[in-house]
Amino acid sequence: MTRSARALLAGCAAALLLSGCSDPSPAPKEEKKAAAPSSAAPAKSPSADPAAYRRWGLDKPLAPPPPPPAHRITEGHRGGVPQIVRRVPVKDKVVFVTFDDGAEKDPKFLEMAKDLKLPFSMFLTDSAARAGRGYGYFDTLRALGNGVHNHTLTHPNLRTLSPEAQKREICGQQETLKKRFGKRPELFRPPYGNYNDATLAAAGSCGIKAVVLWQATMQINDMRYAEAGKLRPGDIVLAHFRGPAELKGTTMTRMVTNMLRSIQRQGYTVARLEDYV
Ligand SMILES: [Zn+2]
């Protein structure tokens, strides 16, 4: 029970002054594709190659993360109400990067992810992810070992919806992602961090084991923090698939460089959320 952060606070992470997510863009038709292999690549660490980091404007590699724990938080989960994870219970100076929604599909970010072997998790909203180049963009990131998780069909404020409507939003995206990637996600993030008991019941009913919130939000140049104005061990960092239109001209890769620089400056490195949760 020690690492089981089962904080069933009915509140919402948005109350932590952290801004949520942008509205998804309208959704053109997504081409049907065969499901990708059912399991992501094995866990891995960020690249240790200084030249790779220099290519993306970083002075030095991220430090190697500590070995992952023997047991993940969700391992004991036997169905029912998912666990709420606001921060991963670790003592090491390690944080977890997450990208939400899926609207921006910058090809340069694919190169960057490949180059740096950056571990991160994706919480995809169907209406945003299928727009433009569609889900195919995320195949590449997934093939690098990065997990795809649920962020609803249309990015509503779930607290305003009936239990049935919440179930459609959450379980509908479970099915979409299972069809597309061959695996039903175990992690869910409610848009804007807003949820209630009905959200947890709905998510639990379609296989979600943990609701993943966050403690830091990446803006354009730096992060905003829920506590103490700085990163803390185990913080989950919320970032978005965003491009110049949302970032005042800054590209996705530049934003990620800014984020990694800040993580390094604070003495942290990045590990893979799925190895812990
Ligand atoms: Zn979002």
Side-chain angles (χ1 to χ4, degrees):
M1 213 35 208
T2 48
R3 56 174 62 248
S4 171
R6 201 186 177 91
L8 286 178
L9 304 170
C12 81
L16 306 169
L17 81 114
L18 301 174
S19 68
C21 317
S22 60
D23 287 330
S25 31
K29 284 273 173 289
E30 148 88 355
E31 78 287 6
K32 268 276 172 289
K33 269 190 146 184
S38 64
S39 58
K44 53 172 180 33
S45 299
S47 169
D49 175 12
Y53 288 83
R54 279 197 297 273
R55 275 198 288 283
W56 298 100
L58 292 154
D59 298 337
K60 56 175 185 183
L62 285 157
H71 300 286
R72 293 179 295 122
I73 291 174
T74 55
E75 254 172 51
H77 188 84
R78 295 283 175 267
V81 175
Q83 301 192 39
I84 312 282
V85 180
R86 297 175 185 281
R87 172 183 283 128
V88 179
V90 293
K91 293 204 168 62
D92 302 298
K93 292 192 87 175
V94 57
V95 296
F96 303 88
V97 172
T98 63
F99 292 103
D100 279 15
D101 302 351
E104 174 74 8
K105 298 171 182 74
D106 184 347
K108 285 275 173 203
F109 179 66
L110 299 181
E111 281 175 42
M112 183 186 208
K114 225 175 274 181
D115 251 9
L116 302 186
K117 299 184 170 59
L118 182 68
F120 57 84
S121 307
M122 300 171 272
F123 289 84
L124 300 183
T125 294
D126 184 59
S127 55
R130 71 170 56 244
R133 295 174 59 191
Y135 279 106
Y137 181 82
F138 306 100
D139 284 333
T140 311
L141 297 173
R142 198 166 167 277
L144 295 171
N146 299 304
V148 166
H149 307 287
N150 188 331
H151 194 45
T152 72
L153 286 174
T154 68
H155 209 277
N157 176 358
L158 291 169
R159 288 169 69 111
T160 67
L161 301 187
S162 69
E164 297 71 33
Q166 293 204 42
K167 199 167 173 184
R168 278 196 298 277
E169 280 287 341
I170 299 166
C171 300
Q173 180 64 339
Q174 284 291 87
E175 289 316 304
T176 303
L177 295 174
K178 177 161 191 283
K179 261 186 224 148
R180 188 58 185 72
F181 298 110
K183 186 173 185 284
R184 203 160 63 152
E186 294 181 349
L187 308 182
F188 170 67
R189 173 173 282 159
Y192 318 104
N194 285 351
Y195 66 93
N196 56 22
D197 289 347
T199 315
L200 301 179
S205 76
C206 50
I208 295 295
K209 293 184 174 180
V211 169
V212 176
L213 301 171
W214 62 89
Q215 290 287 324
T217 309
M218 184 59 199
Q219 311 291 313
I220 298 172
N221 297 309
D222 210 342
M223 290 176 275
R224 273 202 234 148
Y225 308 93
E227 291 171 35
K230 60 180 183 183
L231 288 173
R232 296 175 53 182
D235 271 359
I236 297 166
V237 179
L238 166 66
H240 293 88
F241 288 99
R242 283 180 178 160
E246 298 85 22
L247 300 175
K248 299 183 179 168
T250 298
T251 58
M252 169 108 183
T253 55
R254 188 76 215 164
M255 178 269 287
V256 173
T257 293
N258 293 341
M259 174 171 63
L260 296 179
R261 196 174 281 151
S262 177
I263 289 170
Q264 285 185 318
R265 195 172 56 229
Q266 297 181 61
Y268 284 78
T269 190
V270 173
R272 190 174 182 263
L273 184 68
E274 291 83 353
D275 292 336
Y276 290 75
V277 179

